[in-house]
Amino acid sequence: PPSERFAYMFEENNYEVLDTPAINDPSLLSWEDASGKYKDKLSKTRKRTGLNSAISVAYGKLTENINAVVVASDWRYFGSSIGPDEGESILYACEKSLKTNSPLIIFAQGGGMRMQLPSAVSLMQMPRTVLGLSEVKKKNPVIIIADSVVAGGISASYAACGDFLFFEGKKTKWMFAGPRVAANASNAEPPEDFLEGSWCMSHGHGDYMIEQRRDTKNFLVKFLNIILKKDQSSIIGEENIDNINETTKLNKETREAS
């Protein structure tokens, strides 16, 4: 759950969970299918999780000299799928990053857009979130960390638009459609690790593999110290600073060109 992620990422009592907007427009809650009304399902999910959205946002101190906006998802909330509330949460995180001049860290997770009922309104969150992140990237670094499963419209929108993409664990999956769909489309049996983080990295998709979840914060702090140019020498040694700065510049130019 996001509460556990935030407690791990931030220093104790040095963060706040932001009160992101909840969409309660009746016209967006009137969908219904054979399994029931979306309004009822949403109400039950909110009550069970204590959340208004699958996505939660927090702001605080990762260390004494690094503040950050962190976005995390809750799989219990419609499989971390994206609907109107989640789109608003991501845009709220973007706004907070810009106002506080802080890095934006998104732990991306979920099966895609919530197409069962919110349908087209969920699809609208794809361009909205991409535009939000594009504004943040003009001023602050955006780091995407693939967590568990990143699929569908999530992998095709904001999760693909960071400055950096890291995998949290070799088994984390990144896909648009799953291995079975790919196998049927290509009429060939995919490798055992198909679409897992290790496979993606070996095919040039992703910037770094974080082997264990317990190492995530330590890695991010070191990484942010480098790209934010905070006390680099104590982390990597004076002799490597110029090389890292040059590599960071090259990576940025390459990403902008692509």
Side-chain angles (χ1 to χ4, degrees):
S3 58
E4 294 180 9
R5 178 71 77 175
F6 297 150
Y8 166 71
M9 288 295 296
F10 293 107
E11 292 189 341
E12 188 175 0
N13 299 322
N14 273 333
Y15 72 96
E16 60 172 331
V17 178
L18 305 182
D19 186 16
T20 56
I23 306 298
N24 292 306
D25 185 341
S27 66
L28 299 179
L29 301 173
S30 59
W31 294 288
E32 183 176 356
D33 65 6
S35 63
K37 297 180 179 180
Y38 178 63
K39 183 177 181 180
D40 294 338
K41 295 179 183 180
L42 188 62
S43 177
K44 290 178 181 178
T45 300
R46 286 175 171 175
K47 184 177 181 179
R48 184 176 72 253
T49 62
L51 302 171
N52 287 326
S53 167
I55 288 179
S56 297
V57 182
Y59 170 73
K61 288 183 174 293
L62 297 183
T63 66
E64 186 60 34
N65 64 341
I66 299 178
N67 290 353
V69 178
V70 176
V71 175
S73 301
D74 194 320
W75 189 266
R76 299 172 300 166
Y77 206 105
F78 295 105
S80 298
S81 58
I82 303 299
D85 293 316
E86 289 71 28
E88 287 297 310
S89 294
I90 293 173
L91 291 178
Y92 199 79
C94 292
E95 183 180 7
K96 187 68 174 181
S97 173
L98 289 169
K99 285 184 176 180
T100 60
N101 195 29
S102 303
L104 176 58
I105 301 171
I106 299 178
F107 288 90
Q109 179 193 80
M113 302 297 111
R114 196 173 301 154
M115 295 303 297
Q116 181 185 12
L117 290 169
S119 189
V121 180
S122 291
L123 285 178
M124 290 168 58
Q125 308 313 311
M126 295 177 69
R128 294 182 76 224
T129 55
V130 169
L131 287 171
L133 261 65
S134 68
E135 290 301 308
V136 176
K137 289 167 65 176
K138 294 175 183 178
K139 187 177 181 182
N140 302 318
V142 176
I143 298 173
I144 306 295
I145 301 178
D147 172 21
S148 302
V149 176
V150 183
I154 295 176
S155 66
S157 59
Y158 68 89
C161 293
D163 293 300
F164 306 97
L165 171 62
F166 304 135
F167 285 92
E168 192 177 58
K170 293 180 179 180
K171 295 295 185 180
T172 293
K173 289 184 178 292
W174 179 285
M175 65 188 83
F176 184 76
R180 180 172 55 84
V181 175
N184 290 337
S186 62
N187 203 24
E189 190 66 27
E192 187 176 341
D193 63 347
F194 186 55
L195 301 177
E196 291 181 358
S198 55
W199 185 90
C200 292
M201 289 288 293
S202 69
H203 287 75
H205 185 67
D207 297 298
Y208 188 77
M209 172 72 68
I210 303 170
E211 298 284 349
Q212 301 289 335
R213 179 168 291 183
R214 63 174 179 264
D215 299 327
T216 299
K217 180 180 178 178
N218 186 46
F219 167 76
L220 285 174
V221 168
K222 288 183 178 181
F223 184 76
L224 286 169
N225 267 299
I226 293 171
I227 65 173
L228 298 176
K229 300 181 180 180
K230 295 178 181 286
D231 194 22
Q232 295 182 26
S233 59
S234 65
I235 299 169
I236 56 174
E238 293 278 3
E239 67 278 5
N240 293 323
I241 292 177
D242 291 339
N243 290 336
I244 287 179
N245 286 341
E246 187 62 31
T247 301
T248 302
K249 179 181 178 183
L250 178 61
N251 286 345
K252 182 178 179 181
E253 292 173 351
T254 303
R255 288 173 184 276
E256 289 176 348
S258 64

